[in-house]
Amino acid sequence: MDIVFVVAIAENGVIGAGNAMPWRLKSDMARFKALTIGKPVIMGRKTFESLPRRPLPGRTNIVITRDAAYRAAGAIVTTSAADAGAVALGDALRRSVTEIAVIGGAEIFRQWLDRADRLEITEVHARPDGDTYFDIDKAEWDETARIRHPAGPDDSADYSYVTYRRRSPR
């Protein structure tokens, strides 16, 4: 089962500011949906709460939080990465899909990074202020694809779709 990160990262490593993305890339929403639809998606509580439409339709939403009393309508709530992984694996097998998507935030990315097989990055060509970061250790990852896009009418920056694969097996 492949673990795939789906994340937008600015040139300065910023992925968030005030629990939101500090850019608008409407063009990227279709790619995000295509990469995650029909798959289990793992996220933290803050990421879940920041979604404009929750739960994400057509996906099993799995939320990790330290708060055992937390409830999220339409999502499965777990209190550990291990529990989230077990739920996601069962769901992926039931759906006959070969990927589990991890969509953030920063703490969830940290917890799952050693298990990740592929990174699907939207590289935002901007350097916004932020309070949440993601760094790709290029020694561990090979860039296998890159497509640059100019900003569309509803986008605040140019961007590139970049795929990385782990260099050595986990």
Side-chain angles (χ1 to χ4, degrees):
M1 189 67 53
D2 280 353
I3 306 297
V4 180
F5 281 23
V6 182
V7 57
I9 307 172
E11 291 173 343
N12 58 354
V14 167
I15 62 171
N19 203 35
M21 285 189 256
W23 52 75
R24 176 159 172 73
L25 289 180
K26 189 172 181 183
S27 300
D28 187 43
M29 293 299 102
R31 179 175 188 259
F32 176 84
K33 183 176 182 180
L35 288 169
T36 61
I37 197 76
K39 299 173 186 165
V41 292
I42 295 173
M43 69 196 91
R45 176 191 55 81
K46 291 179 189 176
T47 297
F48 181 76
E49 291 177 353
S50 75
L51 297 173
R53 184 172 176 201
R54 58 183 178 258
L56 292 169
R59 291 150 271 206
T60 300
N61 291 236
I62 303 164
V63 178
I64 302 173
T65 179
R66 289 181 202 86
D67 181 356
Y70 182 77
R71 299 293 174 259
I76 298 167
V77 178
T78 68
T79 56
S80 71
D83 289 347
V87 170
L89 178 60
D91 183 68
L93 292 170
R94 181 182 59 79
R95 291 175 178 262
S96 297
V97 297
T98 60
E99 297 177 348
I100 295 168
V102 176
I103 64 169
E107 179 59 28
I108 303 305
F109 288 135
R110 274 190 286 282
Q111 290 175 13
W112 283 83
L113 188 58
D114 288 344
R115 297 180 237 184
D117 300 291
R118 193 173 84 238
L119 309 176
E120 291 293 347
I121 306 299
T122 300
E123 200 173 83
V124 182
H125 300 299
R127 301 181 72 74
D129 291 333
D131 54 24
T132 311
Y133 296 84
F134 186 97
D135 182 49
I136 298 169
D137 181 353
K138 303 285 174 93
E140 293 185 30
W141 299 92
D142 284 323
E143 183 178 315
T144 60
R146 174 179 292 270
I147 304 169
R148 187 170 175 110
H149 297 275
D154 295 318
D155 300 330
S156 61
D158 293 351
Y159 57 96
S160 295
Y161 294 145
V162 186
T163 300
Y164 292 93
R165 292 201 181 273
R166 187 173 293 281
R167 282 204 172 149
S168 57
R170 292 178 276 124

